[in-house]
Amino acid sequence: MCIIIDKLNVSLLVQLCRYIDSCGLSGDLPLTLSKLKNLRVLRASDNDFTGKIPDYIGNLSNLEELKLQGNKIEGPIPASLSKLVKLNKPCETATYLTS
């Protein structure tokens, strides 16, 4: 199920976020995600996202899973990601982000 993030009701995105893998989405990761303070899973892999990983990802303190591989994201991993203490597989996430 591919979705357009900016047009979703933010409360619904909490349940749907895991379905944005391989949807052909492009551009920067949407600022809309920064409003999802209770977000637990962010799977946005195998799209055409570009730019840097936004600092706001580190403020998603309930995040347990983060997958961004298969995009065109560049630049350093933000220091704010060190605040994501609930990540189930932080080393795996780091590998995806640096490859």
Side-chain angles (χ1 to χ4, degrees):
M1 168 189 244
C2 292
I3 54 175
I4 299 173
I5 295 171
D6 289 329
K7 293 187 178 181
L8 282 178
N9 177 322
V10 171
S11 63
L12 291 177
L13 188 56
V14 173
Q15 288 85 34
L16 296 176
C17 68
R18 64 186 74 214
Y19 299 108
I20 63 173
D21 289 334
S22 304
C23 290
L25 301 174
S26 61
D28 293 337
L29 285 168
L31 187 58
T32 304
L33 294 172
S34 68
K35 298 176 183 176
L36 304 175
K37 302 299 180 191
N38 293 317
L39 187 67
R40 295 189 331 225
V41 176
L42 176 54
R43 292 185 198 166
S45 57
D46 300 317
N47 286 292
D48 287 313
F49 288 119
T50 56
K52 297 180 180 182
I53 299 168
D55 284 330
Y56 70 74
I57 298 289
N59 294 326
L60 301 174
S61 59
N62 290 304
L63 208 56
E64 297 172 5
E65 184 176 337
L66 174 63
K67 297 207 178 202
L68 299 173
Q69 75 271 16
N71 288 291
K72 298 174 184 171
I73 296 172
E74 304 181 320
I77 297 173
S80 64
L81 266 60
S82 66
K83 298 188 289 185
L84 299 177
V85 297
K86 294 184 180 181
L87 282 180
N88 289 326
K89 298 180 182 178
C91 293
E92 179 180 312
T93 299
T95 301
Y96 289 146
L97 295 175
T98 58
S99 55

